[in-house]
Amino acid sequence: MFASDRWDPDRMMDGSYGGMMGGGAWVMLLLWMLLLGLVVAAVVWAVRVSDVRASSGTSHDRPRTPSPREELDLRLARGEVSPEEYETIRALLGS
């Protein structure tokens, strides 16, 4: 009888040693890790894209246009209209 013919509880059914983590199991583990990495990368990419799209149309990107009353106040401060014209235009604006 050969030494390799003796019964060994660590032997696989096909006659190779290595227990549950034989060559095929390592390949499967690596494939699952790759799949998990791809899923995580896709989620990170999706979050970044949604953040860029959400912030692209906000008022933070564009300067605020002054209201007609604010523009009139600025014109008075710059001396472009007299106080009488200011009161007349302000009455027309309704404020």
Side-chain angles (χ1 to χ4, degrees):
M1 190 182 250
F2 296 105
S4 62
D5 291 338
R6 285 184 285 166
W7 180 82
D8 188 352
D10 293 330
R11 250 181 128 149
M12 299 290 289
M13 289 177 63
D14 65 353
S16 66
Y17 286 93
M20 293 301 291
M21 292 304 279
W26 283 110
V27 172
M28 184 62 82
L29 177 67
L30 291 174
L31 288 175
W32 276 111
M33 289 174 63
L34 178 65
L35 180 65
L36 180 63
L38 288 173
V39 168
V40 168
V43 169
V44 168
W45 175 80
V47 168
R48 286 186 180 179
V49 167
S50 67
D51 285 346
V52 169
R53 287 184 182 163
S55 67
S56 65
T58 62
S59 61
H60 301 295
D61 295 339
R62 291 179 239 139
R64 189 174 82 70
T65 305
S67 69
R69 171 66 193 271
E70 291 170 338
E71 185 66 37
L72 181 61
D73 291 343
L74 290 172
R75 289 185 66 198
L76 178 65
R78 288 190 298 249
E80 295 175 3
V81 295
S82 67
E84 295 81 22
E85 289 174 314
Y86 173 83
E87 291 299 327
T88 304
I89 296 170
R90 185 172 156 203
L92 288 172
L93 290 175
S95 45

